[in-house]
Amino acid sequence: MSGTTPVFSPAALADVLRRLGLSSATPLTVAFSGGLDSCVLLHALAGLRESLALTLRAVHVDHGLHPHSADWSRQVQQTCARLNIPCTVECVQVTQIRGHGLEDAARRARYAALARHVGPGEVLLTAHQADDQAETVLLQLLRGTGVHGLAAMPAVVPFHRGRLARPLLDFTREQLAAWAAREGLEWIEDSSNQDLRFARNFLRHRVFPLLEAHWPEASRRIARSAGMAAEAVELLDELAESDWNLCRGTEEGRLSVGALRGLSPPRSRNLVRYWLRRQGFQAPTAMHLDQVLAQVARDPASKQAVIRWPGAEVCRYRDELTARKPRREPDSTLRLHWNPADTLEIPGVGRLRAEPARGDGLSQERIERAPLVVGLRQGGEICRLPGRAHHHKLKKLLQEAGIPPWERRRLPLVYVDGELAAIGDRWVCEPYVAHGDEPGWKLRLELIS
């Protein structure tokens, strides 16, 4: 953001579009709420459509939370019809309010709906402006966020299969309102934007007027600081990417504990945050991050540990960290009859299927007259692998293969007449192995992510 805020105009918006790399070759979808900011954005883009050869369409999300929401949907459709811009109305149901709060739950539902309208090479435009940016920075500060939070809303970011751009971040709400008044625009006034129970509304109507009275242009300067924080974020991410390449585990997505120990504490914190963020997990609190790094600094007695927070858990097994979504453990008493010709749905685990093979998998001859039952580990199972003279405890086989405990609990076991015949799609036990050119069933396991 420059030192002097430019006055809003379609020409100024055209300059921003060029700076963001948005051209006539980029299909643009406007997130159109019908409020002041999105009305300004849509009308200004409509004015530029011919000169810049823009491809425009709009999407309105009806959250169903306001008694007039259906009327607003009709109003935005009428506005788009006058501008000759195709418009789609998405009706969503806002859920998980108790877990996330109404504001965040509505935002999640809105962006999930908008994502359905962004294809490869396409860009979603939102009408966030400088005051929104300043409010976001202050909210993040009050939450005790790090540098990524202070960077607030970037001007362009990958989104779904395309990108999301915010071309109004250089302009204040006052500037947009002045242009709207000159153009005689009409927009929707959402009464919920006056509800001071919502944190953003409280900042907008109570806190920022006080700040602006004492520090003129406080919003613009705070928003400018977000841009500086965004530059710092780029540097931190570049460093984290370099460290990630040095600290990769033996399997995709895993982090090496030994390599992580070789980093300084600030770099290890930065890498763990980056590692989680690139996998789409919610950032850990400072307390949870400390717990993760504590498991890195020392070896747990059992060589395994789990740190959990909403939406994520980090598991240590031996010398590696794995991040995953929390899952309900499957029912260990589960017993399912199975015909290998059919795909078996295993609750809490995934799908088990069998493919015809030669000299591989379960011998079709040895299992054709016996009922097959699929269950989960109970403890004490044994298996004799091909080429071995003796039986081995399944626990030992799993440990030797380095399979983490949380994966062992979801590994289906196939029994023939009560005898263990196969362990997921990893091993087949004698005497049920298909040899030579013998017809077999090759097992395939598709785990629930």
Side-chain angles (χ1 to χ4, degrees):
M1 201 169 181
S2 60
T4 302
T5 308
V7 174
F8 180 80
S9 67
L13 177 60
D15 289 340
V16 174
L17 295 179
R18 282 188 284 269
R19 191 174 75 235
L20 297 180
L22 306 180
S23 66
S24 59
T26 311
L28 304 177
T29 298
V30 179
F32 185 40
S33 69
L36 167 64
D37 303 335
S38 63
C39 265
V40 168
L41 178 59
L42 192 71
H43 280 79
L45 288 169
L48 295 169
R49 178 170 43 189
E50 185 173 345
S51 61
L52 299 184
L54 299 177
T55 301
L56 295 175
R57 60 176 175 153
V59 177
H60 173 77
V61 179
D62 180 355
H63 302 85
L65 298 174
H66 195 283
H68 298 308
S69 65
D71 295 332
W72 293 343
S73 295
R74 285 189 290 271
Q75 186 173 332
V76 300
Q77 287 176 307
Q78 292 167 1
T79 298
C80 289
R82 287 195 297 271
L83 295 173
N84 196 26
I85 295 175
C87 178
T88 301
V89 174
E90 281 271 4
C91 297
V92 300
Q93 188 171 17
V94 180
T95 59
Q96 298 180 324
I97 295 174
R98 178 171 295 182
H100 299 286
L102 181 59
E103 285 180 290
D104 189 48
R107 183 186 65 81
R108 289 169 182 263
R110 179 168 62 255
Y111 278 97
L114 292 171
R116 293 193 285 270
H117 297 271
V118 182
E122 297 180 349
V123 174
L124 175 71
L125 300 181
T126 65
H128 296 106
Q129 27 77 353
D131 296 273
D132 295 322
Q133 184 77 303
E135 292 160 6
T136 301
V137 172
L138 196 49
L139 282 170
Q140 297 285 37
L141 274 172
L142 293 171
R143 292 168 182 155
T145 189
V147 180
H148 279 82
L150 298 182
M153 298 180 289
V156 182
V157 68
F159 180 71
H160 196 49
R161 293 176 295 168
R163 291 176 291 163
L164 184 153
R166 302 178 174 95
L168 299 185
L169 289 180
D170 283 355
F171 309 101
T172 65
R173 186 177 292 116
E174 183 180 5
Q175 291 172 324
L176 301 181
W179 188 81
R182 288 197 300 272
E183 296 296 314
L185 304 187
E186 295 181 356
W187 58 87
I188 295 169
E189 291 287 359
D190 185 349
S191 59
S192 68
N193 289 333
Q194 306 298 318
D195 190 341
L196 299 183
R197 291 175 298 175
F198 298 128
R200 186 176 291 273
N201 289 343
F202 185 83
L203 287 179
R204 181 177 301 168
H205 299 296
R206 291 289 178 86
V207 176
F208 271 97
L210 293 175
L211 291 175
E212 295 281 357
H214 195 79
W215 293 281
E217 297 189 329
S219 294
R220 181 179 64 82
R221 293 175 180 178
I222 292 173
R224 186 171 62 195
S225 295
M228 298 176 184
E231 290 185 0
V233 162
E234 289 184 23
L235 293 174
L236 288 172
D237 284 351
E238 286 180 13
L239 177 62
E241 178 65 23
S242 175
D243 288 339
W244 164 239
N245 289 327
L246 295 173
C247 298
R248 291 176 184 267
T250 56
E251 293 191 22
E252 181 64 28
R254 292 186 183 178
L255 200 55
S256 166
V257 169
L260 194 57
R261 283 175 175 169
L263 301 179
S264 66
R267 284 178 68 168
S268 59
R269 287 174 177 274
N270 184 53
L271 174 55
V272 171
R273 291 192 190 98
Y274 175 80
W275 171 65
L276 291 166
R277 194 168 55 251
R278 75 195 305 271
Q279 296 181 80
F281 291 108
Q282 182 175 323
T285 64
M287 177 188 73
H288 290 122
L289 183 57
D290 285 343
Q291 291 175 349
V292 171
L293 293 176
Q295 297 302 329
V296 171
R298 63 177 184 271
D299 291 330
S302 63
K303 292 289 184 181
Q304 56 180 288
V306 181
I307 308 299
R308 296 183 177 90
W309 62 90
E313 61 184 33
V314 172
C315 311
R316 175 177 175 179
Y317 179 61
R318 296 182 176 172
D319 192 41
E320 292 185 335
L321 297 181
T322 300
R324 64 185 198 130
K325 295 178 182 177
R327 285 189 293 260
R328 182 178 296 177
E329 294 295 338
D331 181 4
S332 62
T333 65
L334 192 70
R335 291 293 181 271
L336 301 171
H337 290 276
W338 182 39
N339 178 356
D342 300 324
T343 297
L344 181 67
E345 299 280 347
I346 308 174
V349 175
R351 297 181 182 90
L352 183 64
R353 56 188 176 86
E355 300 173 350
R358 285 280 179 180
D360 196 6
L362 282 168
S363 166
Q364 293 188 20
E365 180 182 358
R366 289 174 177 80
I367 68 171
E368 64 179 352
R369 294 182 180 85
L372 268 62
V373 175
V374 176
L376 301 177
R377 287 189 65 209
Q378 302 295 306
E381 296 88 355
I382 58 174
C383 171
R384 181 167 67 87
L385 297 180
R388 298 193 185 184
H390 304 288
H391 286 79
H392 297 275
K393 290 185 177 180
L394 176 55
K395 179 178 180 180
K396 185 171 182 61
L397 292 176
L398 295 170
Q399 289 175 336
E400 289 176 350
I403 300 174
W406 57 88
E407 291 184 13
R408 299 175 201 170
R409 291 190 286 270
R410 297 202 302 158
L411 196 60
L413 307 181
V414 180
Y415 292 88
V416 178
D417 274 340
E419 184 177 11
L420 183 60
I423 300 145
D425 54 2
R426 289 181 172 270
W427 301 291
V428 176
C429 307
E430 291 287 14
Y432 299 101
V433 179
H435 295 284
D437 198 39
E438 184 181 359
W441 289 111
K442 179 69 174 176
L443 303 190
R444 302 290 185 190
L445 178 62
E446 301 171 9
L447 292 172
I448 298 172
S449 60

